Amino acid sequence: MAVAKLNVNLNGYILKNPILTASGTYGYNDEYECFTDVSNLGAIVTKAITLNPREGNNHIRLCETKSGIINSIGLENVGIERFIKEKLPVLKQKNIDFIVNIAGSTQAEYIELAKICAQSNIRAIELNVSCPNVKSGCLEFGVDEDSLYSLVTGVRKEYDGFLIVKLTPNVTSIEKLALAAEKSGADAISAINTIKGAAIQLNLINGKFKKTIVQGGYSGIGIKPAAISAVLRIVNTVKIPVIGIGGIETLQDVLEFFAAGAQAVQIGTANFTHPETAGKIIGELEMYIKQNNFKDLDELKEELRK
C-alpha cells in the first residue's frame, strides 16, 4: 500500500507532516529520541530561548491537576549563545526539523534574537508573546495589538525566514491580536498558549492548614474546548495559516482541530505523560487516510471542513 501524503504547505514553509511538538514540552533537540524517531516529526518547537540564560522561577514549577498541569517554569533556558553552539548542531546533524521559540523582556531583545537566528540560518522561529509566567516581556506584547504590531514589525525587519506568532487566550479578543500579527508580517499563527490557572494544595497538620498556592499556565486536555474556539475564530479572521495547540492527546483531537481550520497542530502536555504520542499519531493519521480512501492529507482536511 502506498504511503499517504502528509506534507503541509504553511504559506511556503513545507512540513513533512502536520504533527509538531509544543515549546517547553520537548526540550531543545533529541531528548525524546529514546521514545520515538524525532526526525519523523513535522517539527519540534524548541524550548523558549532568551538572549541570556535564565534560571527560571524559584518556587513550585509544576502542579498536576485532574485534567492537565499548571506550570510556572519561568522560561528557564540556556540562552541563545549556548543554543547556537551546543543544541543547533545536534538538530542539524540528526536531520531534525525544528522551529526556534524565542522570548524577550523588551522589543530590543526580541529583535536581537531574531537577528541572531537569521545569521545562523534558522529557517523558522516562533515568537513567544504569551508566556504568563514571567514578570516582564512576553505577555505584555501579546495582550495589546499595538505593541504586538510594533514587535512583529521590528522582528520582520531583521528576519526574513518563516515567522510564527504564538498567541495567548488570556485576552478579550484574540481575533484583534491575530489581525495585528498578520498585518505586521507574520507568516502563521499558533494558538493557544496556556490559560492562566491556579491550584491550592492543602495539608492539615495538627489541626492547622498548611496552604500552598501555585499559579501559572494551565495546559492539557481541559483547555481543548477553549483552544478549538480560538482556532475557529482566528481562522475566520485572518488568511495566514493557523497551527492549533491545546489538549491534543489523540488522532481524534487532531481531526477536530483540522475541522476547525488548523493546518497543523502542536502536541504539548501529552508529551509528559505519554512521550511517544506525537510519533504514534503520525502513524495513525497515515493509516486513517489510507483506510478511508482519501487521496492525501489535503483531501482529508477539505472533507473535514465542509
Side-chain angles (χ1 to χ4, degrees):
M1 188 179 290
V3 176
K5 285 180 61 178
L6 298 181
N7 57 294
V8 179
N9 186 337
L10 294 180
N11 212 6
Y13 181 67
I14 308 299
L15 298 170
K16 63 171 69 79
N17 65 67
I19 309 302
L20 294 74
T21 56
S23 176
T25 69
Y26 225 69
Y28 298 102
N29 43 45
D30 63 350
E31 288 91 337
Y32 275 68
E33 69 176 359
C34 58
F35 300 106
T36 191
D37 186 346
V38 181
S39 65
N40 282 341
L41 301 175
I44 69 166
V45 184
T46 68
K47 186 173 176 59
I49 308 295
T50 52
L51 196 58
N52 298 305
R54 289 179 59 104
E55 294 183 356
N57 293 329
N58 59 6
H59 50 243
I60 294 176
R61 296 186 178 196
L62 285 177
C63 177
E64 290 189 55
T65 71
K66 289 183 179 180
S67 54
I69 61 171
I70 294 172
N71 91 80
S72 183
I73 305 297
L75 297 182
E76 176 194 4
N77 74 98
V78 299
I80 190 67
E81 182 178 344
R82 190 173 161 196
F83 173 80
I84 297 295
K85 183 179 180 181
E86 298 179 10
K87 310 298 182 180
L88 186 58
V90 176
L91 288 163
K92 292 181 176 180
Q93 177 189 350
K94 296 194 173 183
N95 199 30
I96 298 169
D97 292 321
F98 65 95
I99 296 165
V100 176
N101 181 287
I102 63 172
S105 298
T106 65
Q107 181 166 320
E109 285 189 6
Y110 277 101
I111 292 172
E112 181 63 21
L113 282 161
K115 185 176 181 180
I116 294 170
C117 287
Q119 293 169 344
S120 302
N121 297 315
I122 291 172
R123 292 177 56 228
I125 61 175
E126 180 181 69
L127 293 189
N128 185 344
V129 294
S130 48
C131 176
N133 305 319
V134 290
K135 293 181 179 179
S136 62
C138 286
L139 198 58
E140 294 175 9
F141 297 104
V143 298
D144 179 80
E145 56 206 271
D146 293 331
S147 297
L148 182 62
Y149 181 90
S150 176
L151 174 65
V152 178
T153 300
V155 166
R156 184 43 95 194
K157 289 178 181 177
E158 296 292 342
Y159 183 79
D160 61 2
F162 191 72
L163 178 60
I164 305 168
V165 176
K166 187 173 185 177
L167 295 182
T168 176
N170 302 306
V171 291
T172 303
S173 173
I174 199 168
E175 297 95 323
K176 289 182 179 179
L177 276 302
L179 273 173
E182 181 181 47
K183 290 177 180 178
S184 53
D187 294 303
I189 289 167
S190 56
I192 56 174
N193 207 330
T194 55
I195 293 174
K196 285 186 178 181
I200 298 178
Q201 299 174 341
L202 294 174
N203 289 293
L204 184 61
I205 303 173
N206 298 325
K208 294 185 178 180
F209 282 108
K210 180 183 178 182
K211 180 173 69 174
T212 302
I213 299 175
V214 182
Q215 299 185 73
Y218 173 48
S219 64
I221 192 63
I223 75 166
K224 193 179 99 173
I228 288 179
S229 172
V231 169
L232 283 166
R233 286 178 281 132
I234 295 169
V235 167
N236 287 326
T237 303
V238 300
K239 295 180 180 179
I240 57 177
V242 177
I243 302 168
I245 320 168
I248 298 171
E249 297 182 344
T250 67
L251 175 61
Q252 179 65 30
D253 297 327
V254 172
L255 296 178
E256 290 174 20
F257 273 88
F258 289 162
Q263 294 291 341
V265 297
Q266 292 181 18
I267 296 171
T269 302
N271 295 318
F272 297 135
T273 54
H274 296 88
E276 75 288 351
T277 296
K280 181 184 176 192
I281 288 177
I282 293 169
E284 291 174 344
L285 177 60
E286 182 180 356
M287 187 61 66
Y288 186 88
I289 289 172
K290 290 190 288 190
Q291 289 180 342
N292 291 282
N293 299 315
F294 292 106
K295 182 178 67 175
D296 52 24
L297 178 62
D298 288 338
E299 187 175 71
L300 170 62
K301 287 178 178 175
E302 185 178 340
E303 190 63 29
L304 282 165
R305 291 169 189 163
K306 288 182 178 177

